Amino acid sequence: MTTPIPVIFIHGLWLHATSWTPWIELFGDAGYAPSAPGWPGDPDTVAEARENPESIADHGIDDVVEHFAGIIRTLDTRPILVGHSFGGMIAQKLLGQDLARAAVAIDAAQIKGVLPLPLSALRATLPVFKNPANKHRAVSLTAEQFRFAFGNAISEAESDALYERWTIPAPGKPLFEAAAANFNPHSPAKVDTANQARGPLLLMTGGKDHTVPETVVRATLKQYRHSDAVTDITAFPDRGHSLTIDAGWREVADAALTWMRRQSL
């Protein structure tokens, strides 16, 4: 029997790892070996994370990359990575380091070299940037802030329900690091986009995303122009940043599975 390929799901800011549960069930049924580890310091449940935000605070991009690299090193074979938002950036970094056989980056946070900074992205991240001390803190969103950043393309009722079910405090440090990336030659947001030997990459974008607008994802695609490795993009014009957890998640997950099969993964 063939050993199932591991698939590691990597969440982004403000969502708990258990938000990937429907994806894990779907990918397991499709014959993969899926898992969704949390970021360093993440408690096991949403409730615990809300009660202990200090455990989440002050973890930067390099901390998260090394955390998942350590998980990957325990596996018998390189995994496929599926990341959302900052999880999409982490997936790209690990793919560029040849630690994964492929990656799917969904509404991925901007990497070093990406210049567009739409106003909606600034507003979505304002809860963190309004206080410089938040770099070393964990910051929570209000239901209204979540509605703008994640749930703008769905009903207010669904947005509020997702907020109550999945949101947790998020470390401010990765956002400060990403914001300074183009002024720092050694930024942790730098990805080896020129790697010719890496596995295939699929970028996914929601056309109504306020937090990572489509212009950012398409600018990310251009950063890979110096590599002949497979780099594809799929757009969901009517979707926002909640596309991995809202009622339409299955469309996004099925698109990822279809692409993986086309890559013989």
Side-chain angles (χ1 to χ4, degrees), residues 31-175:
Y32 295 95
S35 63
W39 281 28
D42 279 5
D44 290 337
T45 68
V46 170
E48 290 175 295
R50 291 171 178 171
E51 291 170 3
N52 301 287
E54 64 279 355
S55 68
I56 298 169
D58 215 22
H59 294 292
I61 295 170
D62 283 342
D63 298 324
V64 182
V65 170
E66 184 51 41
H67 173 73
F68 281 94
I71 293 170
I72 290 170
R73 294 187 189 107
T74 68
L75 302 175
D76 295 329
T77 184
R78 290 184 302 165
I80 299 167
L81 304 177
V82 179
H84 172 248
S85 198
F86 259 94
M89 173 199 283
I90 302 304
Q92 290 177 76
K93 283 185 66 73
L94 292 165
L95 182 68
Q97 295 171 7
D98 295 321
L99 290 173
R101 67 177 66 199
V104 178
I106 307 167
D107 286 344
Q110 67 187 71
I111 63 175
K112 180 178 171 62
V114 171
L115 298 179
L117 189 59
L119 289 177
S120 68
L122 290 173
R123 179 178 167 184
T125 53
L126 184 61
V128 172
F129 288 128
K130 67 182 180 181
N131 185 346
N134 284 340
K135 181 176 182 179
H136 302 292
R137 297 172 176 167
V139 180
S140 297
L141 297 181
T142 65
E144 182 180 1
Q145 290 165 342
F146 180 85
R147 169 89 166 130
F148 180 84
F150 283 78
N152 60 292
I154 57 178
S155 70
E156 184 175 359
E158 183 180 6
S159 178
D160 288 348
L162 294 174
Y163 173 81
E164 290 298 330
R165 186 174 187 184
W166 298 126
T167 60
I168 62 173
K173 191 172 184 178
L175 279 169

Side-chain angles (χ1 to χ4, degrees), residues 5 10 26 54 116 126 151 159 210 214 230:
I5 298 173
I10 308 174
L26 179 66
E54 64 279 355
L126 184 61
S159 178
H210 282 166
E214 186 172 342
V230 172

Side-chain angles (χ1 to χ4, degrees), residues 3 5 7 66 107 187 193 231 249:
T3 302
I5 298 173
V7 176
E66 184 51 41
D107 286 344
S187 170
T193 55
T231 311
W249 72 270

